[in-house]
Amino acid sequence: MRGAIVSTSPDSADPFLLRHLGPSDTEVEEMLEEIGCESFDELTRQVVPGAVLENRPLQLPPARTETEALAALHEHMEKNVVRDCLIGRGYHDTVLPPVIQRCVLENPGWYTAYTPYQAEISQGRLEALLNYQTLICELTGMPVANASLLDEATAVAEAVAMAAGARPKGSVILVDENCFSQTIEVLRTRCGPLDIEIVTGNPNEFDFSARSDELIGAVFQCPGEGGELTDFSAVSAACHEAGGIVVAAVDPLSLTLLKPPGEWGADIAVGSAQRFGVPLGFGGPHAAFLSCSDAMKRRLPGRLVGVSRDADGRPALRLSLQTREQHIRREKATSNICTAQVLLAVIAGFYAVYHGPEGLQRIASRVHTLACRFAAALTDAGFVVRNRTWFDTVTVELSPENREKILRLCQEKNIRVREDCDGA
C-alpha cells in the first residue's frame, strides 16, 4: 500500500508523506526480506483470506503535499454554516478565554496527551485534573469526583450502573420524564443488556414504596429538558425510604446559584462541563463529570486524582482508586480505556479558575437575566411560556401557523432552536 501511494506522488521525497507513512523504502525492503516476502502483494496474499481480498487497484487521486492538503481542508471547512445554537438539552455556546485557547487547547503539550499511563511523572497534568475534581465537588456538594467522563448521557448510564451495583437485587430505575431525550435513549441502550427496567414518568406520581423490593433508584434532571427547575427534595427522600439511590443530572453553571444536589438528597451527581469554556464542536466531544457520596466512591468509574506524599514528605499527586482493566483484574474493573475527556476537563477547570467563583456567578446571573427578559418579551407579545421556572431555557407554546413562521425566521437569522417539541 505504501509503495502505491508514494508512486503517485509528484515528489516521493515529500516530507509530508514521509512523516505520515512510516518506514522508508529501505526499511520496508528489510522487513519484507526478514519475513520472507518479495513484495507487499505477496504479503497481502498470505495474510488476507482470498474471499475478501480485493485485487483491483485502489482508485485514489494523486497524493497531495502538506500545503495542498491544508488548503483543501480549509476550502471544505468554509462550507460550514455557523449558527447561534439555542437548542438547550445540555448544549450551550460559550466564550473560551484566549489565554486558555492558546496555552491549552492549541498547545500540543496538552492536546496530545491521551491518557496518563505513568501519570505520576506528569504532576502538572494531575494538578489540573485535581483542580477539575475540586471544582465539581464544590459545585455539586459531593465529597468525591472523578477526572471526567465522555459526555452527560453516558455519565448518567455509568451512574445507573453504579447504583445497580450497590443494589444487586434491584431491576427497576425511575427516570424523570424531563431528562434530556438523548440521555433516555442512551439509558435504554445501556440498561437493556443488564435487564434493568426503565420507568419514565413524573417522579411525584411514582410510588417508590410499592416497588421497593425491585427498586434500584431514580434519575432526576435539573433543569429539565424544557427548562423547568424542580425541587426534588421530597421525592429523593421517598426514594431513599424505599432503599433506592438518587442520581441527579445537573447543569454546573446553574449550580453557582442553585442548591447543590448533595444538599437535596442526591447520592450521585452527573452532568456536562461543556459550558465551562468548551466549544460546541458540532455536538462533541464534551467532558462530563461524576461525583458521589463517600459511600459510593468505591464504585466510581474512570480516573480519580488523589494527593499523597513522597519519601521526603512533600505533597505528590497520583491516580488513586484505579478502576481500569489494565490496573486491576478485569472482572473487578468499573471503567475501560475510553472513559475520559481529559483535555476538555482541564479546559473546564481552567475556565473556572480564570473567572473565579464570583465571575462564574456573574455569568450565571447574566444568563438567567437574559432568559427572564426573553420570557417577558414573549409574554408581552402574546405567546405562552410553558415552564413556570427556569435558569436559561424557555419553552414556548406555538400554534402550527406561528411555529412554521418562527422556524423560518430563525433559519433566515442563522439561529438553531429545538424543532421536535410537541406544540412548542
Side-chain angles (χ1 to χ4, degrees):
M1 180 65 72
R2 181 183 183 280
I5 294 176
V6 171
S7 66
T8 62
S9 171
D11 179 10
S12 60
D14 179 11
F16 187 45
L17 291 175
L18 298 179
R19 280 204 307 274
H20 291 274
L21 296 180
S24 66
D25 292 337
T26 301
E27 291 169 330
V28 169
E29 292 175 2
E30 292 175 354
M31 287 188 288
L32 289 172
E33 182 179 357
E34 180 68 25
I35 62 178
C37 293
E38 294 292 332
S39 64
F40 271 129
D41 289 340
E42 182 182 345
L43 175 61
T44 302
R45 286 192 296 271
Q46 289 183 17
V47 300
V48 180
V52 298
L53 181 61
E54 178 60 74
N55 292 310
R56 294 177 300 175
L58 296 176
Q59 300 299 312
L60 296 175
R64 291 172 172 170
T65 66
E66 183 170 14
T67 302
E68 292 169 341
L70 289 173
L73 288 171
H74 279 295
E75 182 181 356
H76 188 70
M77 291 172 63
E78 287 175 355
K79 297 179 181 179
N80 291 325
V81 177
V82 179
R83 296 176 176 171
D84 292 327
C85 181
L86 300 178
I87 64 171
R89 304 169 86 174
Y91 297 96
H92 307 277
D93 208 356
T94 183
V95 177
L96 177 61
V99 65
I100 301 177
Q101 178 177 332
R102 290 193 307 269
C103 299
V104 182
L105 182 59
E106 297 174 355
N107 182 348
W110 287 103
Y111 71 67
T112 60
Y114 166 57
T115 187
Y117 290 107
Q118 294 178 323
E120 287 71 26
I121 67 173
S122 304
Q123 289 290 296
R125 190 162 184 258
L126 291 185
E127 185 174 358
L129 291 175
L130 181 65
N131 171 64
Y132 176 78
Q133 293 175 185
T134 304
L135 165 69
I136 299 306
C137 288
E138 290 183 358
L139 289 174
T140 60
M142 297 286 191
V144 184
N146 65 10
S148 86
L149 291 173
L150 285 178
D151 57 28
E152 181 170 348
T154 54
V156 173
E158 294 283 359
V160 169
M162 288 175 63
R167 297 271 294 171
K169 295 183 179 180
S171 60
V172 175
I173 187 82
L174 168 67
V175 178
D176 180 7
E177 61 187 1
N178 289 313
C179 282
F180 295 145
S181 51
Q182 69 269 19
T183 297
I184 296 175
E185 290 302 312
V186 169
L187 274 177
R188 286 173 177 158
T189 300
R190 292 282 295 271
C191 289
L194 301 177
D195 293 326
I196 296 175
E197 178 188 354
I198 296 176
V199 178
T200 305
N202 185 341
N204 291 307
E205 298 175 358
F206 185 78
D207 189 351
F208 289 95
S209 59
R211 307 195 69 170
S212 59
D213 292 340
E214 54 185 353
L215 182 68
I216 294 174
V219 179
F220 304 138
Q221 183 95 46
C222 187
E225 185 165 52
E228 190 86 20
L229 298 176
T230 304
D231 182 359
F232 289 108
S233 300
V235 290
S236 294
C239 182
H240 286 149
E241 288 177 9
I245 292 170
V246 175
V247 177
V250 290
D251 177 347
L253 188 63
S254 73
L255 294 180
T256 64
L257 303 177
L258 302 176
K259 180 187 291 187
E263 295 183 10
W264 52 253
D267 301 291
I268 307 171
V270 298
S272 172
Q274 179 269 318
R275 69 186 312 166
F276 275 25
V278 179
L280 284 171
F282 295 94
H286 299 139
F289 60 83
L290 191 155
S291 59
C292 66
S293 64
D294 192 68
M296 299 292 293
K297 67 182 180 183
R298 291 289 175 181
R299 302 182 182 278
L300 194 70
R303 301 162 181 82
L304 180 68
V305 179
V307 182
S308 186
R309 292 193 177 275
D310 64 13
D312 297 321
R314 296 171 300 186
L317 304 179
R318 61 185 178 85
L319 288 186
S320 56
L321 292 178
Q322 299 188 40
T323 58
R324 295 177 62 189
E325 72 279 356
Q326 79 259 32
H327 297 144
I328 62 176
R329 285 181 294 173
R330 183 176 296 273
E331 65 272 14
K332 291 183 175 296
T334 59
S335 65
N336 55 59
I337 201 168
C338 298
T339 52
Q341 288 290 358
V342 169
L343 172 64
L344 305 182
V346 168
I347 289 175
F350 285 168
Y351 178 91
V353 170
Y354 179 89
H355 290 288
E358 293 181 357
L360 292 178
Q361 287 180 332
R362 283 195 299 269
I363 294 171
S365 297
R366 180 176 182 272
V367 168
H368 178 61
T369 299
L370 290 173
C372 291
R373 291 178 179 176
F374 178 60
L378 289 169
T379 302
D380 291 344
F383 294 98
V384 177
V385 176
R386 179 179 291 181
N387 45 319
R388 295 170 299 172
T389 59
W390 56 80
F391 168 61
D392 65 353
T393 300
V394 176
T395 302
V396 188
E397 298 280 359
L398 296 173
S399 65
E401 297 78 13
N402 280 335
R403 187 176 189 276
E404 293 302 319
K405 179 181 178 181
I406 290 174
L407 290 178
R408 185 174 64 255
L409 289 172
C410 288
Q411 181 81 9
E412 293 173 357
K413 298 293 184 180
N414 282 332
I415 298 174
R416 292 287 299 173
V417 294
R418 282 199 63 182
E419 302 179 18
D420 61 341
C421 294
D422 293 335

